[in-house]
Amino acid sequence: MKLEEVAERLGLEFWVRADPEVEVRGGYVSDLLSDVLAHAEAGDLWITHQRHLNVVAVAKLRGVAGIVLARGLQPGPETLRRAQQEGVNLLTSPEDAFDTAGRLHRLLFP
Amino acid sequence: MRWYRADLHIHSVLSPCASLAMSPRAIVEAARSLGLDLIAICDHNAGENGTYARRLARGTPQILMGMEIQTAEEVEILALFPEEEPCLSLQEELYALLPPVPNDPELFGDQLVVDETDEILRAVPKLLLSPVPLSVEEVVRRVQDLGGLVIPAHVERVPGGLLAVLGLFPPGDWPAVEISPWAELEEVWARWPQVHGRQVFRSSDAHFPEEIGRAWTELYLDRPSFAELERALAGQGGRLIRPGPAWKEGKG
């Protein structure tokens, strides 16, 4: 399913709309960037509380479909700028990580 | 110049997670008996007990002021200072920023300021084992503005290690890292190639008296001092930094 549609169905807000047409194939939930580097897969939508600007580099290295900050957390200016520069989709979810991931799973794997 | 032995990451009874036996006096006595030349007492977001350890030690061993600061990302950073004033003023600033969570000594342990005679001066009310709402970059800037040195603590470790939490070095200069007492340097290099070319410290991260001495760093310096450590970090004049051997559990 395309990220644009996922965002609409889950009520996610785009902060950086770099490539809304990208295909979301799964999801990954983690705040440890070393863990994401080792285990997230290309096409995953990555749900996290980590707002350090390194999330952008890690997202790019793993080729995830986008970063979703959970529980309404907002990205800082440096993270936002870096995501714009690198063309990484950055979104926020008003719901917490559990509910966001649960709804994403039901949407992708009904 | 000659080789000196340093342990720049020792917790005292001011850290809730450290033993009540870790008074400034006990730490100084252990460091002396182990022949450590240079130490730092780095409590969580606090450095006050270093003051009393320095009064007692009178240069044997040399003691740097220090703190282990927990950033907003939950990365732990060692901040080292040559003098008391900048360390204590940063401690005060961080304390005001800590979340208003009271320490429950039953649950987390006591947070005690203890003087050089083992007298308890006060208990710190807020839980020190919490992240301050400052990013890694904001913490680094504050420490450097105060003339301090920054060494990210146990970088490969979960929780709290810079590389484990943030995956790679953030932008900026990271001339040195600390690795855990038990970490094999070869394995750290294999997992994190970006550590190559940086100075590597190893420390005991002692929370109990018997853990002091389980790990150390060897420094080739003119004398064991903050200024010499700074020169070694800058790679000046043949000064060297090398981690001691990895600690093997059960070997004391």
Side-chain angles (χ1 to χ4, degrees):
Chain A
M1 186 179 292
K2 301 229 181 304
L3 179 59
E4 179 90 75
E5 191 184 344
V6 171
E8 199 184 305
R9 305 265 296 263
L10 298 188
L12 310 179
E13 183 188 349
F14 272 99
W15 284 67
V16 176
R17 187 190 289 267
D19 178 14
E21 293 294 298
V22 69
E23 191 70 20
V24 178
R25 295 200 288 265
Y28 200 73
V29 187
S30 181
D31 300 333
L32 276 177
L33 273 52
S34 59
D35 171 66
V36 177
L37 274 174
H39 302 293
E41 289 180 21
D44 280 349
L45 194 55
W46 172 25
I47 299 161
T48 186
H49 304 95
Q50 183 57 264
R51 288 182 287 173
H52 188 272
L53 67 92
N54 274 16
V55 293
V56 176
V58 168
K60 194 152 187 181
L61 283 167
R62 294 309 300 171
V64 299
I67 304 165
V68 177
L69 299 180
R71 202 168 32 78
L73 293 171
Q74 298 190 357
E78 284 180 46
T79 305
L80 199 55
R81 199 175 320 122
R82 186 63 61 91
Q84 283 159 347
Q85 281 168 1
E86 300 291 336
V88 169
N89 291 312
L90 179 61
L91 306 91
T92 57
S93 170
E95 298 186 77
D96 67 24
F98 177 80
D99 287 325
T100 306
R103 291 181 62 194
L104 177 65
H105 198 281
R106 259 183 296 167
L107 191 62
L108 295 178
F109 312 108
Chain B
M1 291 206 284
R2 70 169 179 88
W3 287 102
Y4 293 96
R5 198 172 272 205
D7 182 356
L8 301 179
H9 186 174
I10 300 173
H11 288 269
S12 80
V13 65
L14 186 47
S15 293
C17 42
S19 160
L20 271 176
M22 292 293 264
S23 68
R25 172 179 290 277
I27 293 169
V28 167
E29 284 172 0
R32 282 179 178 163
S33 74
L34 289 159
L36 294 171
D37 302 293
L38 182 69
I39 67 169
I41 297 179
C42 292
D43 286 306
H44 294 287
N45 299 314
E48 203 170 340
N49 276 347
T51 310
Y52 305 103
R54 282 155 68 104
R55 272 187 207 164
L56 185 69
R58 295 166 182 268
T60 312
Q62 289 288 333
I63 303 180
L64 305 179
M65 293 297 289
M67 279 190 265
E68 182 175 25
I69 303 172
Q70 192 178 357
T71 74
E73 302 88 348
E74 304 204 3
V75 169
E76 291 170 358
I77 303 267
L78 299 180
L80 301 172
F81 297 92
E83 302 298 338
E84 286 156 33
E85 202 284 318
C87 183
L88 297 180
S89 77
L90 184 58
Q91 170 186 292
E92 197 177 329
E93 185 185 357
L94 298 183
Y95 191 76
L97 293 170
L98 279 172
V101 177
N103 180 38
D104 180 342
E106 292 291 312
L107 214 52
F108 299 108
D110 291 294
Q111 303 181 148
L112 302 177
V113 177
V114 173
D115 76 8
E116 67 274 28
T117 64
D118 279 349
E119 184 93 15
I120 296 173
L121 300 182
R122 63 193 180 91
V124 173
K126 280 205 267 186
L127 179 62
L128 293 169
L129 201 56
S130 308
V132 294
L134 299 172
S135 68
V136 169
E137 288 78 3
E138 287 168 322
V139 167
V140 169
R141 200 175 312 128
R142 273 171 175 72
V143 174
Q144 290 176 342
D145 284 352
L146 289 164
L149 288 173
V150 165
I151 304 174
H154 42 65
V155 285
E156 86 297 340
R157 193 193 85 177
V158 175
L162 177 95
L163 293 173
V165 175
L166 294 183
L168 48 153
F169 286 99
D173 285 336
W174 298 96
V177 300
E178 182 204 63
I179 57 174
S180 298
W182 47 82
E184 295 288 351
L185 186 53
E186 296 292 332
E187 287 170 19
V188 174
W189 276 336
R191 173 90 199 270
W192 312 103
Q194 316 156 61
V195 171
H196 277 290
R198 298 176 207 265
Q199 308 280 9
V200 176
F201 289 79
R202 188 193 297 283
S203 322
S204 70
D205 197 357
H207 286 67
F208 296 85
E210 60 273 22
E211 290 177 345
I212 301 174
R214 67 178 174 175
W216 63 88
T217 303
E218 289 163 10
L219 302 170
Y220 193 67
L221 305 173
D222 203 22
R223 59 184 165 280
S225 69
F226 183 87
E228 280 288 294
L229 181 63
E230 254 186 330
R231 290 184 197 115
L233 278 168
Q236 287 174 8
R239 291 170 182 80
L240 300 169
I241 297 169
R242 71 181 184 204
W247 173 66
K248 303 272 194 285
E249 195 114 23
K251 254 184 63 185

